[in-house]
Amino acid sequence: MPGVIAHMTPIRVVELTAGVAIGAPLGGGARFVLELTRAFDRAEVMPFLANIWRYNTPPEARWQRVLHEEDIPHAFAAMWDEVSLPRSSVRGLRGLWAMDDLRPDIIHSHGEFTDIAAILLKRR
């Protein structure tokens, strides 16, 4: 009908990133994903920041506070294990797989490992 504005439900977007320990040990790629997630217009996009790993660093704690203050839903799939990258990878993928609230319209990834995770989540 002309002149009628339909109510649109926000698009559910999962942003995949290694984590939010930006500055130690993560850098620009993770910062880009975080800032992109913060910039979404919530009337149009409902973001969820899926972090593959928790690093337990002071920078991570600071960014978690920012996410909390800005009411950006986020979660961590697994703890980073600096002794074993393969173990960390498997735990991270299993943790993402177990996130029941991931029912996105779009899965957005920014890197080799998060691309693999996105493909596996899509297949789920």
Side-chain angles (χ1 to χ4, degrees), residues 35-76:
E35 295 297 348
L36 175 65
T37 305
R38 294 174 71 200
F40 284 128
D41 178 343
R42 300 289 185 85
E44 296 180 19
V45 176
M46 181 173 298
F48 182 90
L49 185 60
N51 300 283
I52 297 175
W53 296 293
R54 178 185 297 269
Y55 294 87
N56 282 335
T57 65
E60 180 181 75
R62 184 177 85 72
W63 283 111
Q64 277 189 273
R65 284 190 298 277
V66 169
L67 292 168
H68 180 71
E69 290 166 3
E70 296 181 15
D71 199 27
I72 297 173
H74 62 285
F76 296 88

Tab-separated table of all heavy atoms in Angstrom, residues 35-76:
chain	number	residue	atom	x	y	z
A	35	GLU	N	34.733	-2.433	16.089
A	35	GLU	CA	34.209	-1.116	15.718
A	35	GLU	C	33.061	-1.225	14.724
A	35	GLU	O	32.094	-0.465	14.799
A	35	GLU	CB	35.326	-0.226	15.168
A	35	GLU	CG	36.395	0.121	16.181
A	35	GLU	CD	35.900	0.933	17.375
A	35	GLU	OE1	34.766	1.453	17.357
A	35	GLU	OE2	36.674	1.058	18.351
A	36	LEU	N	33.140	-2.170	13.814
A	36	LEU	CA	32.044	-2.404	12.884
A	36	LEU	C	30.782	-2.794	13.646
A	36	LEU	O	29.696	-2.268	13.395
A	36	LEU	CB	32.420	-3.502	11.885
A	36	LEU	CG	31.321	-3.938	10.921
A	36	LEU	CD1	30.945	-2.794	9.988
A	36	LEU	CD2	31.795	-5.153	10.124
A	37	THR	N	30.919	-3.691	14.596
A	37	THR	CA	29.785	-4.135	15.400
A	37	THR	C	29.189	-2.970	16.183
A	37	THR	O	27.966	-2.831	16.270
A	37	THR	CB	30.216	-5.271	16.358
A	37	THR	OG1	30.802	-6.325	15.582
A	37	THR	CG2	29.046	-5.810	17.143
A	38	ARG	N	30.022	-2.114	16.718
A	38	ARG	CA	29.542	-0.941	17.468
A	38	ARG	C	28.815	0.052	16.567
A	38	ARG	O	27.941	0.787	17.035
A	38	ARG	CB	30.721	-0.239	18.145
A	38	ARG	CG	31.388	-1.067	19.225
A	38	ARG	CD	32.625	-0.414	19.767
A	38	ARG	NE	32.256	0.751	20.584
A	38	ARG	CZ	33.094	1.735	20.877
A	38	ARG	NH1	34.328	1.733	20.410
A	38	ARG	NH2	32.696	2.737	21.632
A	39	ALA	N	29.161	0.094	15.288
A	39	ALA	CA	28.618	1.103	14.380
A	39	ALA	C	27.250	0.754	13.793
A	39	ALA	O	26.591	1.613	13.223
A	39	ALA	CB	29.608	1.338	13.235
A	40	PHE	N	26.802	-0.473	13.960
A	40	PHE	CA	25.517	-0.860	13.369
A	40	PHE	C	24.371	-0.025	13.917
A	40	PHE	O	24.314	0.275	15.110
A	40	PHE	CB	25.205	-2.335	13.644
A	40	PHE	CG	25.972	-3.304	12.805
A	40	PHE	CD1	26.663	-4.342	13.394
A	40	PHE	CD2	26.003	-3.190	11.421
A	40	PHE	CE1	27.368	-5.257	12.626
A	40	PHE	CE2	26.703	-4.092	10.644
A	40	PHE	CZ	27.387	-5.127	11.242
A	41	ASP	N	23.448	0.329	13.037
A	41	ASP	CA	22.197	0.977	13.431
A	41	ASP	C	21.281	-0.125	13.958
A	41	ASP	O	20.844	-0.993	13.202
A	41	ASP	CB	21.571	1.668	12.214
A	41	ASP	CG	20.245	2.322	12.513
A	41	ASP	OD1	19.616	2.013	13.555
A	41	ASP	OD2	19.806	3.147	11.686
A	42	ARG	N	21.014	-0.125	15.245
A	42	ARG	CA	20.261	-1.197	15.885
A	42	ARG	C	18.820	-1.309	15.382
A	42	ARG	O	18.167	-2.308	15.587
A	42	ARG	CB	20.241	-1.037	17.394
A	42	ARG	CG	21.601	-1.055	18.043
A	42	ARG	CD	22.218	-2.456	18.009
A	42	ARG	NE	23.453	-2.451	18.727
A	42	ARG	CZ	23.566	-2.613	20.043
A	42	ARG	NH1	22.521	-2.794	20.787
A	42	ARG	NH2	24.753	-2.573	20.600
A	43	ALA	N	18.299	-0.277	14.738
A	43	ALA	CA	16.968	-0.374	14.144
A	43	ALA	C	17.003	-1.288	12.916
A	43	ALA	O	15.987	-1.868	12.547
A	43	ALA	CB	16.453	1.005	13.755
A	44	GLU	N	18.190	-1.422	12.317
A	44	GLU	CA	18.328	-2.224	11.108
A	44	GLU	C	19.090	-3.528	11.316
A	44	GLU	O	18.855	-4.500	10.610
A	44	GLU	CB	19.020	-1.399	10.027
A	44	GLU	CG	18.207	-0.192	9.603
A	44	GLU	CD	18.907	0.625	8.536
A	44	GLU	OE1	19.819	0.094	7.874
A	44	GLU	OE2	18.530	1.786	8.365
A	45	VAL	N	20.022	-3.524	12.264
A	45	VAL	CA	20.882	-4.687	12.474
A	45	VAL	C	20.951	-5.024	13.951
A	45	VAL	O	21.206	-4.155	14.789
A	45	VAL	CB	22.319	-4.426	11.953
A	45	VAL	CG1	23.243	-5.592	12.269
A	45	VAL	CG2	22.304	-4.137	10.467
A	46	MET	N	20.717	-6.296	14.277
A	46	MET	CA	20.891	-6.777	15.642
A	46	MET	C	22.188	-7.594	15.672
A	46	MET	O	22.222	-8.736	15.220
A	46	MET	CB	19.720	-7.641	16.079
A	46	MET	CG	19.865	-8.146	17.502
A	46	MET	SD	18.385	-9.005	18.066
A	46	MET	CE	17.210	-7.687	17.959
A	47	PRO	N	23.284	-6.982	16.163
A	47	PRO	CA	24.566	-7.684	16.122
A	47	PRO	C	24.761	-8.627	17.304
A	47	PRO	O	24.183	-8.447	18.378
A	47	PRO	CB	25.577	-6.542	16.204
A	47	PRO	CG	24.884	-5.524	17.052
A	47	PRO	CD	23.421	-5.626	16.684
A	48	PHE	N	25.574	-9.639	17.072
A	48	PHE	CA	26.060	-10.516	18.131
A	48	PHE	C	27.535	-10.726	17.831
A	48	PHE	O	27.887	-11.188	16.743
A	48	PHE	CB	25.326	-11.855	18.130
A	48	PHE	CG	25.762	-12.765	19.240
A	48	PHE	CD1	25.123	-12.713	20.468
A	48	PHE	CD2	26.816	-13.640	19.063
A	48	PHE	CE1	25.530	-13.547	21.513
A	48	PHE	CE2	27.227	-14.468	20.095
A	48	PHE	CZ	26.586	-14.423	21.321
A	49	LEU	N	28.404	-10.363	18.762
A	49	LEU	CA	29.848	-10.500	18.573
A	49	LEU	C	30.285	-11.844	19.151
A	49	LEU	O	30.307	-12.031	20.368
A	49	LEU	CB	30.582	-9.343	19.254
A	49	LEU	CG	32.080	-9.287	19.041
A	49	LEU	CD1	32.446	-9.145	17.563
A	49	LEU	CD2	32.677	-8.138	19.835
A	50	ALA	N	30.591	-12.775	18.267
A	50	ALA	CA	31.016	-14.114	18.676
A	50	ALA	C	32.539	-14.158	18.664
A	50	ALA	O	33.170	-14.131	17.616
A	50	ALA	CB	30.438	-15.170	17.752
A	51	ASN	N	33.112	-14.215	19.847
A	51	ASN	CA	34.565	-14.265	20.015
A	51	ASN	C	34.982	-15.720	20.158
A	51	ASN	O	34.482	-16.422	21.029
A	51	ASN	CB	34.965	-13.507	21.280
A	51	ASN	CG	34.543	-12.062	21.214
A	51	ASN	OD1	35.179	-11.264	20.551
A	51	ASN	ND2	33.452	-11.721	21.892
A	52	ILE	N	35.896	-16.138	19.332
A	52	ILE	CA	36.308	-17.537	19.409
A	52	ILE	C	37.061	-17.812	20.696
A	52	ILE	O	36.833	-18.817	21.352
A	52	ILE	CB	37.139	-17.925	18.170
A	52	ILE	CG1	36.243	-17.783	16.925
A	52	ILE	CG2	37.664	-19.357	18.303
A	52	ILE	CD1	36.952	-18.021	15.619
A	53	TRP	N	37.943	-16.861	21.095
A	53	TRP	CA	38.748	-17.131	22.282
A	53	TRP	C	38.672	-16.021	23.322
A	53	TRP	O	38.570	-14.848	23.008
A	53	TRP	CB	40.223	-17.332	21.919
A	53	TRP	CG	40.420	-18.530	21.054
A	53	TRP	CD1	40.236	-19.835	21.391
A	53	TRP	CD2	40.850	-18.528	19.693
A	53	TRP	NE1	40.514	-20.641	20.315
A	53	TRP	CE2	40.887	-19.864	19.267
A	53	TRP	CE3	41.187	-17.516	18.802
A	53	TRP	CZ2	41.273	-20.232	17.986
A	53	TRP	CZ3	41.561	-17.873	17.512
A	53	TRP	CH2	41.604	-19.224	17.130
A	54	ARG	N	38.763	-16.412	24.568
A	54	ARG	CA	38.946	-15.500	25.699
A	54	ARG	C	40.416	-15.593	26.090
A	54	ARG	O	40.965	-16.675	26.236
A	54	ARG	CB	38.062	-15.906	26.873
A	54	ARG	CG	38.261	-15.015	28.094
A	54	ARG	CD	37.465	-15.515	29.295
A	54	ARG	NE	36.046	-15.492	29.050
A	54	ARG	CZ	35.238	-14.460	29.336
A	54	ARG	NH1	35.739	-13.372	29.864
A	54	ARG	NH2	33.953	-14.533	29.102
A	55	TYR	N	41.032	-14.426	26.260
A	55	TYR	CA	42.460	-14.371	26.565
A	55	TYR	C	42.754	-13.961	28.009
A	55	TYR	O	43.869	-14.128	28.471
A	55	TYR	CB	43.167	-13.394	25.612
A	55	TYR	CG	43.171	-13.853	24.173
A	55	TYR	CD1	42.114	-13.553	23.327
A	55	TYR	CD2	44.228	-14.591	23.669
A	55	TYR	CE1	42.115	-13.967	22.001
A	55	TYR	CE2	44.250	-15.003	22.347
A	55	TYR	CZ	43.180	-14.694	21.519
A	55	TYR	OH	43.186	-15.102	20.210
A	56	ASN	N	41.776	-13.391	28.689
A	56	ASN	CA	41.948	-12.907	30.063
A	56	ASN	C	43.095	-11.908	30.190
A	56	ASN	O	43.961	-12.034	31.047
A	56	ASN	CB	42.138	-14.060	31.048
A	56	ASN	CG	40.824	-14.734	31.369
A	56	ASN	OD1	39.757	-14.129	31.257
A	56	ASN	ND2	40.888	-15.994	31.756
A	57	THR	N	43.084	-10.902	29.336
A	57	THR	CA	44.076	-9.836	29.397
A	57	THR	C	43.385	-8.542	29.831
A	57	THR	O	42.168	-8.405	29.666
A	57	THR	CB	44.743	-9.612	28.026
A	57	THR	OG1	43.754	-9.144	27.099
A	57	THR	CG2	45.406	-10.878	27.514
A	58	PRO	N	44.137	-7.587	30.360
A	58	PRO	CA	43.524	-6.297	30.710
A	58	PRO	C	42.837	-5.600	29.524
A	58	PRO	O	41.734	-5.070	29.688
A	58	PRO	CB	44.695	-5.482	31.266
A	58	PRO	CG	45.619	-6.517	31.837
A	58	PRO	CD	45.524	-7.678	30.876
A	59	PRO	N	43.444	-5.609	28.304
A	59	PRO	CA	42.721	-4.983	27.192
A	59	PRO	C	41.377	-5.670	26.914
A	59	PRO	O	40.395	-5.009	26.600
A	59	PRO	CB	43.672	-5.139	25.998
A	59	PRO	CG	45.034	-5.234	26.613
A	59	PRO	CD	44.810	-5.996	27.897
A	60	GLU	N	41.354	-6.976	27.049
A	60	GLU	CA	40.094	-7.702	26.841
A	60	GLU	C	39.047	-7.262	27.864
A	60	GLU	O	37.882	-7.021	27.508
A	60	GLU	CB	40.331	-9.208	26.944
A	60	GLU	CG	39.066	-10.032	26.735
A	60	GLU	CD	39.354	-11.500	26.866
A	60	GLU	OE1	39.534	-11.968	28.011
A	60	GLU	OE2	39.406	-12.174	25.824
A	61	ALA	N	39.446	-7.126	29.108
A	61	ALA	CA	38.506	-6.687	30.157
A	61	ALA	C	37.965	-5.295	29.842
A	61	ALA	O	36.764	-5.024	30.018
A	61	ALA	CB	39.193	-6.706	31.520
A	62	ARG	N	38.822	-4.419	29.354
A	62	ARG	CA	38.370	-3.066	28.995
A	62	ARG	C	37.346	-3.109	27.871
A	62	ARG	O	36.308	-2.460	27.934
A	62	ARG	CB	39.568	-2.205	28.590
A	62	ARG	CG	39.188	-0.759	28.298
A	62	ARG	CD	40.402	0.101	27.961
A	62	ARG	NE	40.807	0.067	26.577
A	62	ARG	CZ	40.131	0.641	25.566
A	62	ARG	NH1	38.994	1.251	25.798
A	62	ARG	NH2	40.592	0.599	24.343
A	63	TRP	N	37.613	-3.887	26.833
A	63	TRP	CA	36.676	-3.959	25.708
A	63	TRP	C	35.384	-4.662	26.099
A	63	TRP	O	34.309	-4.320	25.596
A	63	TRP	CB	37.339	-4.611	24.504
A	63	TRP	CG	38.255	-3.651	23.826
A	63	TRP	CD1	39.622	-3.703	23.785
A	63	TRP	CD2	37.874	-2.472	23.125
A	63	TRP	NE1	40.111	-2.626	23.092
A	63	TRP	CE2	39.061	-1.845	22.668
A	63	TRP	CE3	36.659	-1.864	22.826
A	63	TRP	CZ2	39.064	-0.667	21.942
A	63	TRP	CZ3	36.661	-0.683	22.096
A	63	TRP	CH2	37.839	-0.108	21.661
A	64	GLN	N	35.466	-5.609	27.016
A	64	GLN	CA	34.232	-6.237	27.498
A	64	GLN	C	33.352	-5.214	28.211
A	64	GLN	O	32.121	-5.236	28.058
A	64	GLN	CB	34.555	-7.383	28.455
A	64	GLN	CG	34.868	-8.666	27.739
A	64	GLN	CD	34.953	-9.789	28.730
A	64	GLN	OE1	36.018	-10.034	29.298
A	64	GLN	NE2	33.849	-10.447	28.959
A	65	ARG	N	33.958	-4.312	28.980
A	65	ARG	CA	33.182	-3.253	29.638
A	65	ARG	C	32.493	-2.362	28.601
A	65	ARG	O	31.329	-1.998	28.758
A	65	ARG	CB	34.073	-2.419	30.566
A	65	ARG	CG	34.399	-3.123	31.874
A	65	ARG	CD	35.066	-2.187	32.873
A	65	ARG	NE	36.347	-1.648	32.422
A	65	ARG	CZ	37.512	-2.274	32.521
A	65	ARG	NH1	37.577	-3.471	33.063
A	65	ARG	NH2	38.629	-1.685	32.099
A	66	VAL	N	33.218	-2.030	27.539
A	66	VAL	CA	32.633	-1.211	26.477
A	66	VAL	C	31.437	-1.928	25.854
A	66	VAL	O	30.364	-1.344	25.669
A	66	VAL	CB	33.686	-0.863	25.392
A	66	VAL	CG1	33.033	-0.244	24.166
A	66	VAL	CG2	34.752	0.055	25.959
A	67	LEU	N	31.588	-3.192	25.552
A	67	LEU	CA	30.491	-3.966	24.971
A	67	LEU	C	29.293	-4.021	25.914
A	67	LEU	O	28.148	-3.876	25.481
A	67	LEU	CB	30.962	-5.382	24.627
A	67	LEU	CG	31.981	-5.472	23.484
A	67	LEU	CD1	32.598	-6.856	23.433
A	67	LEU	CD2	31.338	-5.101	22.157
A	68	HIS	N	29.575	-4.207	27.177
A	68	HIS	CA	28.500	-4.254	28.166
A	68	HIS	C	27.793	-2.895	28.257
A	68	HIS	O	26.558	-2.828	28.250
A	68	HIS	CB	29.054	-4.672	29.528
A	68	HIS	CG	28.014	-4.741	30.580
A	68	HIS	ND1	27.064	-5.727	30.603
A	68	HIS	CD2	27.759	-3.931	31.632
A	68	HIS	CE1	26.254	-5.515	31.641
A	68	HIS	NE2	26.665	-4.436	32.268
A	69	GLU	N	28.572	-1.820	28.350
A	69	GLU	CA	27.998	-0.470	28.448
A	69	GLU	C	27.160	-0.111	27.223
A	69	GLU	O	26.157	0.588	27.341
A	69	GLU	CB	29.109	0.571	28.639
A	69	GLU	CG	29.776	0.504	29.978
A	69	GLU	CD	31.080	1.298	30.034
A	69	GLU	OE1	31.439	1.962	29.030
A	69	GLU	OE2	31.750	1.235	31.082
A	70	GLU	N	27.564	-0.606	26.059
A	70	GLU	CA	26.841	-0.303	24.827
A	70	GLU	C	25.780	-1.359	24.507
A	70	GLU	O	25.165	-1.327	23.448
A	70	GLU	CB	27.827	-0.130	23.674
A	70	GLU	CG	28.736	1.074	23.897
A	70	GLU	CD	29.709	1.301	22.758
A	70	GLU	OE1	29.544	0.729	21.659
A	70	GLU	OE2	30.662	2.093	22.962
A	71	ASP	N	25.592	-2.292	25.433
A	71	ASP	CA	24.571	-3.336	25.310
A	71	ASP	C	24.712	-4.129	24.014
A	71	ASP	O	23.737	-4.369	23.299
A	71	ASP	CB	23.174	-2.717	25.425
A	71	ASP	CG	22.120	-3.757	25.758
A	71	ASP	OD1	22.465	-4.777	26.387
A	71	ASP	OD2	20.954	-3.560	25.361
A	72	ILE	N	25.945	-4.516	23.716
A	72	ILE	CA	26.220	-5.336	22.542
A	72	ILE	C	26.358	-6.782	22.995
A	72	ILE	O	27.277	-7.115	23.749
A	72	ILE	CB	27.499	-4.875	21.815
A	72	ILE	CG1	27.303	-3.443	21.293
A	72	ILE	CG2	27.861	-5.837	20.688
A	72	ILE	CD1	28.538	-2.816	20.709
A	73	PRO	N	25.431	-7.637	22.573
A	73	PRO	CA	25.525	-9.044	22.968
A	73	PRO	C	26.808	-9.666	22.427
A	73	PRO	O	27.177	-9.450	21.270
A	73	PRO	CB	24.295	-9.691	22.331
A	73	PRO	CG	23.488	-8.611	21.736
A	73	PRO	CD	24.318	-7.375	21.693
A	74	HIS	N	27.468	-10.415	23.271
A	74	HIS	CA	28.709	-11.068	22.878
A	74	HIS	C	28.941	-12.285	23.753
A	74	HIS	O	28.358	-12.407	24.829
A	74	HIS	CB	29.899	-10.106	22.978
A	74	HIS	CG	30.150	-9.615	24.369
A	74	HIS	ND1	29.361	-8.658	24.977
A	74	HIS	CD2	31.096	-9.957	25.268
A	74	HIS	CE1	29.817	-8.434	26.194
A	74	HIS	NE2	30.874	-9.207	26.386
A	75	ALA	N	29.781	-13.179	23.263
A	75	ALA	CA	30.131	-14.376	24.024
A	75	ALA	C	31.500	-14.867	23.561
A	75	ALA	O	31.986	-14.485	22.492
A	75	ALA	CB	29.084	-15.465	23.827
A	76	PHE	N	32.095	-15.697	24.393
A	76	PHE	CA	33.381	-16.318	24.080
A	76	PHE	C	33.160	-17.818	23.958
A	76	PHE	O	32.499	-18.420	24.801
A	76	PHE	CB	34.396	-16.037	25.192
A	76	PHE	CG	34.724	-14.576	25.321
A	76	PHE	CD1	33.958	-13.751	26.135
A	76	PHE	CD2	35.770	-14.032	24.613
A	76	PHE	CE1	34.233	-12.403	26.246
A	76	PHE	CE2	36.056	-12.670	24.716
A	76	PHE	CZ	35.294	-11.866	25.531
